[in-house]
Amino acid sequence: MGFKEKQMTMYNSKIIGLGHYVPEQIVTNEDLSKIMDTNDAWIQERTGIKERHWIAEGSEDTSAVMGAKAARIAIERAGLTTKDIDFIVFATLSPDYFFPGCGVQIQDMLDMKTVGAIDIRNQCSGFVYAISTADQFIKTGMYKNVLVIGAEFHSNGLDKTTRGRGVSVIFGDGAGAAVLTREEDTTKGILSTHLHSEGAYADKLIVESPSIRNWVPELMANPDDISYFPYMDGQFVFKNAVVRFSEVIIEGLAKNNLSKEDIDMLIPHQANLRISQFIQRKFGLSDNQVFNNIQKYGNTTAASIPIALTEAWEQGKVKDGDTVVLAAFGSGFTWGSVIIKW
Ligand code: COA
């Protein structure tokens, strides 16, 4: 192969292993109604959520620990060992530490070679951004096998009183992981990824503190400052989500000369069942073409797509040759899609 040809060689990447892990403790809507003024009917009607998993007190689980558990399953199912992984991409908004990131903890927990590891901070779009990042490294030939993880430990940071009920009933803990590898046939695997952001709305869904701007001593000095709890303008987020989800799915399909009729499986970020249903109707998809599991897990942010993708694959709903679409929207605002020929 001549130098010029070699320069132009590009690969695709494909997902060859998936795994997920959720903490044991299930918290139902009924359980929540005992600690705050809420009820099962309100939560189900507005969000579709019936229960979520929250890490129990005293458990060893954290975002990194759950991520490692999911990753072990994904690597084994890929038919690889941890020694075969060339790079780690870890998406989370709830890292174990302010720094260093969870990616480096995975390198240690899985006893891996001293491979590179990065954290992606793109909230609900985190996994889509992480897949896109992994895909670029594989496309250029820099790495062959990349481990991508999305994990969240929300429950310790939620306001579990009536004051926080508009947010805290929505979020759940969990982790999902995927192993991506080089695919030489560029008509297969990840066909394209599409990423967007709009920072003007950063304050619409945010955890402001503790931050270097508002560090612990300042926070402690003002008992009324509860900016360490997530704030969400729910209706504003909802309205933007339905528009951006649609746009970025259409963008991804168009890039690949596909139409909505070509979608075999859409796996939307599990933000709210009502958002998924809106998108399903808009694209005229049947129940078999959209995968939802928010009913069991709530919104697990960066973990939601890999958990859903793992379950869809385990249930035989994602098969060889299928056109699979991943799409997400969330805090930032950030949004994105991934178009895959499975
Ligand atoms: N239980 C019972 N009542 C609740 C409640 C709860 N958990 N949370 C809020 N309420 C109350 C409010 O206090 C309000 O009462 P009021 O009318 O007396 O003031 C009423 O319910 C309506 O609140 P509102 O916030 O307007 O509800 P909503 O219809 O917008 O639904 C969300 C709230 C959060 C479910 C909805 O806005 C949403 O899903 N947004 C998108 C969120 C999302 O996707 N986030 C993740 C982004 S990736």
Coordinates of all heavy atoms in Angstrom, one line a residue, residues 131-195:
I131 N -19.5 7.4 22.5 CA -19.4 6.5 21.4 C -18.7 7.2 20.2 O -17.9 6.7 19.5 CB -20.8 6.0 21.0 CG1 -21.4 5.0 22.0 CG2 -20.9 5.5 19.6 CD1 -20.9 3.6 21.8
S132 N -19.1 8.5 20.0 CA -18.6 9.3 18.9 C -17.1 9.4 19.1 O -16.3 9.3 18.1 CB -19.2 10.6 18.8 OG -18.7 11.3 17.8
T133 N -16.6 9.7 20.3 CA -15.2 9.8 20.6 C -14.4 8.5 20.3 O -13.4 8.5 19.6 CB -15.0 10.3 22.1 OG1 -15.8 11.4 22.3 CG2 -13.6 10.5 22.4
A134 N -15.0 7.4 20.8 CA -14.3 6.1 20.6 C -14.3 5.9 19.1 O -13.2 5.4 18.6 CB -15.2 5.0 21.3
D135 N -15.3 6.2 18.4 CA -15.4 5.9 16.9 C -14.3 6.6 16.2 O -13.7 6.1 15.3 CB -16.8 6.4 16.5 CG -17.1 6.1 15.0 OD1 -16.8 4.9 14.6 OD2 -17.6 7.0 14.3
Q136 N -14.0 7.9 16.6 CA -13.0 8.6 15.9 C -11.6 8.0 16.1 O -10.8 7.9 15.1 CB -12.9 10.1 16.4 CG -14.2 10.9 16.5 CD -15.0 10.7 15.2 OE1 -14.5 10.9 14.1 NE2 -16.3 10.4 15.4
F137 N -11.3 7.5 17.2 CA -10.0 6.8 17.5 C -9.9 5.5 16.7 O -8.8 5.2 16.2 CB -9.8 6.5 19.0 CG -9.5 7.6 19.8 CD1 -10.3 8.1 20.8 CD2 -8.2 8.3 19.6 CE1 -10.0 9.2 21.6 CE2 -7.9 9.4 20.4 CZ -8.7 9.8 21.4
I138 N -11.0 4.8 16.5 CA -11.0 3.6 15.7 C -10.9 3.9 14.2 O -10.2 3.2 13.5 CB -12.2 2.7 16.1 CG1 -12.1 2.2 17.6 CG2 -12.4 1.5 15.1 CD1 -13.2 1.5 18.1
K139 N -11.7 4.8 13.8 CA -11.7 5.2 12.4 C -10.3 5.5 11.8 O -10.0 5.1 10.7 CB -12.6 6.5 12.2 CG -14.0 6.2 11.8 CD -14.7 7.5 11.4 CE -16.1 7.4 11.1 NZ -16.6 6.1 10.7
T140 N -9.6 6.3 12.6 CA -8.3 6.7 12.1 C -7.2 5.6 12.3 O -6.1 5.7 11.8 CB -7.8 7.9 13.0 OG1 -7.8 7.5 14.3 CG2 -8.6 9.1 12.8
G141 N -7.6 4.5 12.9 CA -6.7 3.4 13.1 C -5.8 3.5 14.3 O -4.9 2.7 14.6
M142 N -6.0 4.6 15.1 CA -5.1 4.8 16.3 C -5.3 3.6 17.3 O -4.4 3.2 17.9 CB -5.4 6.1 16.9 CG -4.5 6.4 18.1 SD -4.5 8.2 18.5 CE -3.6 8.2 20.0
Y143 N -6.6 3.3 17.5 CA -6.9 2.2 18.5 C -7.8 1.1 17.8 O -8.6 1.5 16.9 CB -7.6 2.7 19.7 CG -6.7 3.6 20.5 CD1 -7.2 4.9 20.9 CD2 -5.5 3.3 21.0 CE1 -6.5 5.8 21.6 CE2 -4.7 4.2 21.7 CZ -5.2 5.4 22.0 OH -4.4 6.3 22.8
K144 N -7.7 -0.1 18.3 CA -8.5 -1.2 17.8 C -9.7 -1.5 18.6 O -10.9 -1.5 18.2 CB -7.7 -2.4 17.6 CG -8.4 -3.5 16.9 CD -7.5 -4.7 16.5 CE -8.4 -5.7 15.7 NZ -7.9 -7.1 16.0
N145 N -9.5 -1.6 19.9 CA -10.6 -2.0 20.8 C -10.8 -0.9 21.9 O -9.9 -0.6 22.7 CB -10.3 -3.3 21.6 CG -10.2 -4.4 20.6 OD1 -10.9 -4.6 19.7 ND2 -9.1 -5.2 20.8
V146 N -11.9 -0.3 21.9 CA -12.2 0.8 22.9 C -13.3 0.5 23.8 O -14.4 0.0 23.3 CB -12.4 2.2 22.2 CG1 -12.7 3.3 23.2 CG2 -11.3 2.5 21.3
L147 N -13.1 0.7 25.1 CA -14.2 0.4 26.1 C -14.9 1.7 26.4 O -14.3 2.7 26.7 CB -13.5 -0.1 27.4 CG -14.4 -0.3 28.6 CD1 -15.5 -1.3 28.3 CD2 -13.6 -0.7 29.8
V148 N -16.2 1.7 26.2 CA -17.0 2.9 26.4 C -18.0 2.6 27.6 O -18.7 1.6 27.5 CB -17.8 3.3 25.2 CG1 -18.7 4.6 25.4 CG2 -16.9 3.5 24.0
I149 N -18.0 3.5 28.6 CA -18.9 3.3 29.8 C -19.7 4.5 30.0 O -19.3 5.6 29.8 CB -18.0 3.0 31.0 CG1 -17.1 1.7 30.8 CG2 -18.8 2.8 32.3 CD1 -16.1 1.5 31.9
G150 N -21.0 4.3 30.4 CA -21.8 5.3 31.0 C -22.3 4.9 32.3 O -22.8 3.8 32.4
A151 N -22.1 5.7 33.3 CA -22.5 5.3 34.7 C -22.9 6.5 35.5 O -22.3 7.6 35.4 CB -21.3 4.5 35.4
E152 N -23.9 6.3 36.4 CA -24.3 7.4 37.2 C -24.7 7.0 38.6 O -25.5 6.0 38.8 CB -25.6 8.1 36.6 CG -25.4 8.6 35.2 CD -24.5 9.9 35.1 OE1 -24.0 10.4 36.1 OE2 -24.3 10.3 33.9
F153 N -24.3 7.7 39.6 CA -24.7 7.6 41.0 C -25.4 8.9 41.3 O -24.8 9.8 41.9 CB -23.4 7.4 41.8 CG -23.6 7.2 43.3 CD1 -24.9 7.0 43.9 CD2 -22.5 7.1 44.2 CE1 -25.1 6.9 45.2 CE2 -22.7 6.9 45.5 CZ -24.0 6.8 46.1
H154 N -26.7 8.9 41.0 CA -27.5 10.1 41.2 C -27.9 10.3 42.6 O -28.0 11.3 43.2 CB -28.7 10.1 40.3 CG -28.5 10.5 38.9 ND1 -28.0 11.7 38.5 CD2 -28.7 9.9 37.8 CE1 -27.9 11.8 37.2 NE2 -28.3 10.7 36.7
S155 N -28.3 9.1 43.2 CA -29.2 9.1 44.4 C -28.6 9.9 45.6 O -29.3 10.5 46.3 CB -29.6 7.7 44.8 OG -28.5 6.9 45.0
N156 N -27.3 9.8 45.7 CA -26.6 10.5 46.8 C -26.7 12.0 46.7 O -26.5 12.7 47.7 CB -25.2 10.1 47.0 CG -24.7 10.2 48.4 OD1 -25.5 10.0 49.4 ND2 -23.4 10.5 48.6
G157 N -27.0 12.5 45.5 CA -27.0 14.0 45.3 C -28.3 14.6 45.1 O -28.4 15.7 44.6
L158 N -29.4 13.8 45.3 CA -30.7 14.4 45.1 C -31.4 14.9 46.4 O -31.1 14.4 47.5 CB -31.6 13.2 44.5 CG -31.2 12.6 43.2 CD1 -32.1 11.4 42.9 CD2 -31.3 13.6 42.1
D159 N -32.2 15.9 46.2 CA -33.0 16.4 47.3 C -34.2 15.5 47.5 O -35.2 15.7 46.7 CB -33.4 17.9 47.0 CG -34.2 18.5 48.1 OD1 -34.5 17.8 49.1 OD2 -34.6 19.7 47.9
K160 N -34.2 14.7 48.5 CA -35.2 13.7 48.6 C -36.3 14.1 49.5 O -37.0 13.3 50.3 CB -34.6 12.3 49.1 CG -33.6 11.8 48.2 CD -33.2 10.4 48.6 CE -31.9 9.9 47.8 NZ -30.7 10.1 48.6
T161 N -36.5 15.4 49.5 CA -37.7 16.0 50.3 C -38.7 16.5 49.3 O -38.4 16.6 48.1 CB -37.2 17.2 51.2 OG1 -36.9 18.3 50.3 CG2 -36.0 16.8 52.1
T162 N -39.8 17.0 49.8 CA -40.9 17.5 48.9 C -40.3 18.7 48.0 O -40.7 18.8 46.9 CB -42.1 17.9 49.7 OG1 -42.6 16.8 50.4 CG2 -43.2 18.5 48.9
R163 N -39.4 19.4 48.6 CA -38.8 20.5 47.9 C -38.2 20.1 46.5 O -38.2 20.8 45.5 CB -37.7 21.2 48.8 CG -37.1 22.4 48.2 CD -36.1 22.9 49.2 NE -35.0 21.9 49.5 CZ -34.1 22.0 50.4 NH1 -34.0 23.1 51.2 NH2 -33.2 21.1 50.6
G164 N -37.6 18.9 46.5 CA -36.9 18.4 45.4 C -37.6 17.4 44.5 O -37.1 16.8 43.6
R165 N -38.9 17.2 44.8 CA -39.7 16.2 44.1 C -39.8 16.3 42.6 O -39.9 15.2 41.9 CB -41.1 16.1 44.7 CG -41.9 17.3 44.4 CD -43.3 17.2 45.1 NE -44.1 18.4 44.8 CZ -45.3 18.6 45.1 NH1 -46.0 17.7 45.8 NH2 -45.9 19.7 44.8
G166 N -39.7 17.5 42.1 CA -39.8 17.7 40.6 C -38.6 17.1 39.9 O -38.7 16.8 38.7
V167 N -37.5 16.8 40.6 CA -36.3 16.3 40.0 C -36.0 14.9 40.5 O -35.7 14.0 39.7 CB -35.1 17.2 40.3 CG1 -33.8 16.6 39.8 CG2 -35.3 18.6 39.6
S168 N -36.1 14.7 41.8 CA -35.5 13.5 42.4 C -36.3 12.3 42.1 O -35.7 11.2 42.1 CB -35.5 13.7 44.0 OG -36.7 14.0 44.5
V169 N -37.6 12.4 41.7 CA -38.3 11.2 41.4 C -37.9 10.6 40.0 O -38.2 9.5 39.7 CB -39.9 11.4 41.4 CG1 -40.3 11.9 42.7 CG2 -40.3 12.4 40.3
I170 N -37.2 11.4 39.2 CA -36.9 11.1 37.8 C -35.6 10.2 37.7 O -35.6 9.4 36.8 CB -36.8 12.4 37.0 CG1 -38.1 13.1 36.9 CG2 -36.3 12.1 35.6 CD1 -38.1 14.4 36.2
F171 N -34.7 10.5 38.6 CA -33.3 9.9 38.3 C -33.0 8.6 39.1 O -33.4 8.4 40.2 CB -32.3 11.0 38.7 CG -32.3 12.1 37.7 CD1 -33.0 13.3 38.0 CD2 -31.8 12.0 36.4 CE1 -33.1 14.4 37.1 CE2 -31.8 13.1 35.5 CZ -32.5 14.2 35.9
G172 N -32.3 7.8 38.4 CA -31.9 6.5 38.9 C -30.4 6.2 38.7 O -29.8 6.9 38.0
D173 N -29.9 5.2 39.5 CA -28.5 4.9 39.4 C -28.3 3.7 38.5 O -29.2 2.8 38.4 CB -28.0 4.5 40.8 CG -28.1 5.6 41.9 OD1 -28.2 6.8 41.4 OD2 -28.2 5.3 43.1
G174 N -27.1 3.6 37.9 CA -26.8 2.4 37.1 C -25.7 2.6 36.2 O -25.1 3.7 36.1
A175 N -25.3 1.6 35.4 CA -24.2 1.7 34.5 C -24.4 0.8 33.3 O -25.0 -0.3 33.4 CB -22.9 1.3 35.2
G176 N -23.8 1.2 32.2 CA -23.8 0.3 31.0 C -22.5 0.5 30.3 O -21.9 1.5 30.4
A177 N -22.1 -0.5 29.5 CA -20.8 -0.5 28.8 C -20.9 -1.2 27.5 O -21.7 -2.1 27.3 CB -19.8 -1.2 29.7
A178 N -20.0 -0.7 26.6 CA -19.9 -1.3 25.2 C -18.5 -1.4 24.8 O -17.7 -0.5 25.2 CB -20.7 -0.4 24.2
V179 N -18.2 -2.5 24.1 CA -16.8 -2.6 23.6 C -16.9 -2.4 22.1 O -17.7 -3.0 21.4 CB -16.2 -4.0 23.8 CG1 -14.9 -4.1 23.1 CG2 -16.1 -4.2 25.3
L180 N -16.2 -1.4 21.6 CA -16.1 -1.1 20.1 C -14.8 -1.7 19.6 O -13.8 -1.5 20.2 CB -16.2 0.4 19.9 CG -17.6 1.0 19.8 CD1 -18.3 0.9 21.1 CD2 -17.4 2.5 19.4
T181 N -14.9 -2.2 18.4 CA -13.7 -2.7 17.7 C -13.7 -2.3 16.3 O -14.7 -1.8 15.7 CB -13.6 -4.2 17.8 OG1 -12.3 -4.6 17.5 CG2 -14.5 -5.0 16.8
R182 N -12.5 -2.4 15.6 CA -12.4 -2.0 14.2 C -13.2 -2.9 13.3 O -13.2 -4.1 13.5 CB -10.9 -2.2 13.9 CG -10.5 -1.8 12.5 CD -9.1 -2.0 12.2 NE -8.2 -1.2 13.1 CZ -6.9 -1.5 13.3 NH1 -6.3 -2.5 12.7 NH2 -6.2 -0.7 14.1
E183 N -13.9 -2.3 12.3 CA -14.6 -3.0 11.3 C -14.1 -2.5 10.0 O -14.1 -1.3 9.7 CB -16.1 -2.7 11.5 CG -17.0 -3.1 10.3 CD -17.0 -4.6 10.0 OE1 -17.5 -5.3 10.9 OE2 -16.5 -5.0 9.0
E184 N -13.6 -3.5 9.2 CA -13.0 -3.0 7.9 C -14.0 -2.7 6.8 O -13.7 -2.0 5.9 CB -11.9 -4.1 7.5 CG -10.9 -4.3 8.6 CD -9.5 -4.7 8.1 OE1 -9.3 -4.9 6.9 OE2 -8.6 -4.7 9.0
D185 N -15.2 -3.4 6.9 CA -16.2 -3.1 6.0 C -17.0 -1.8 6.4 O -17.7 -1.8 7.4 CB -17.2 -4.3 6.0 CG -18.4 -4.1 5.0 OD1 -18.5 -3.0 4.5 OD2 -19.1 -5.1 4.8
T186 N -16.7 -0.8 5.6 CA -17.3 0.5 6.0 C -18.8 0.7 5.7 O -19.3 1.8 5.9 CB -16.5 1.7 5.4 OG1 -16.4 1.5 4.0 CG2 -15.1 1.8 6.0
T187 N -19.4 -0.4 5.3 CA -20.9 -0.3 5.2 C -21.6 -0.8 6.4 O -22.8 -0.9 6.5 CB -21.4 -1.1 3.9 OG1 -21.1 -2.5 4.2 CG2 -20.8 -0.6 2.7
K188 N -20.7 -1.3 7.4 CA -21.2 -1.9 8.6 C -20.8 -1.1 9.8 O -19.8 -0.4 9.8 CB -20.7 -3.3 8.7 CG -21.4 -4.3 7.8 CD -20.9 -5.7 8.1 CE -21.4 -6.7 7.1 NZ -20.5 -7.9 7.1
G189 N -21.4 -1.4 11.0 CA -21.0 -0.8 12.2 C -21.6 0.6 12.3 O -22.6 1.0 11.8
I190 N -20.8 1.5 13.0 CA -21.2 2.9 13.2 C -21.0 3.6 11.9 O -19.9 3.8 11.5 CB -20.5 3.5 14.4 CG1 -20.9 2.8 15.7 CG2 -20.8 5.0 14.5 CD1 -20.1 3.1 16.9
L191 N -22.1 4.1 11.4 CA -22.1 4.8 10.1 C -21.8 6.2 10.2 O -21.0 6.8 9.5 CB -23.4 4.6 9.3 CG -23.9 3.1 9.0 CD1 -25.2 3.1 8.3 CD2 -22.8 2.4 8.3
S192 N -22.4 6.8 11.3 CA -22.1 8.3 11.5 C -22.5 8.7 12.9 O -23.4 8.0 13.5 CB -22.8 9.2 10.5 OG -24.2 9.1 10.6
T193 N -22.0 9.7 13.4 CA -22.4 10.3 14.7 C -22.6 11.8 14.5 O -21.9 12.4 13.7 CB -21.4 10.0 15.8 OG1 -20.1 10.6 15.5 CG2 -21.1 8.5 16.1
H194 N -23.5 12.4 15.3 CA -23.9 13.8 15.1 C -24.0 14.4 16.5 O -24.8 14.0 17.3 CB -25.2 13.9 14.3 CG -25.1 13.1 13.1 ND1 -24.7 13.6 11.9 CD2 -25.3 11.8 12.8 CE1 -24.7 12.7 11.0 NE2 -25.0 11.5 11.5
L195 N -23.2 15.5 16.7 CA -23.1 16.1 18.1 C -23.5 17.5 18.0 O -23.0 18.2 17.1 CB -21.7 15.9 18.6 CG -21.2 14.5 18.6 CD1 -19.7 14.5 19.2 CD2 -22.0 13.5 19.5

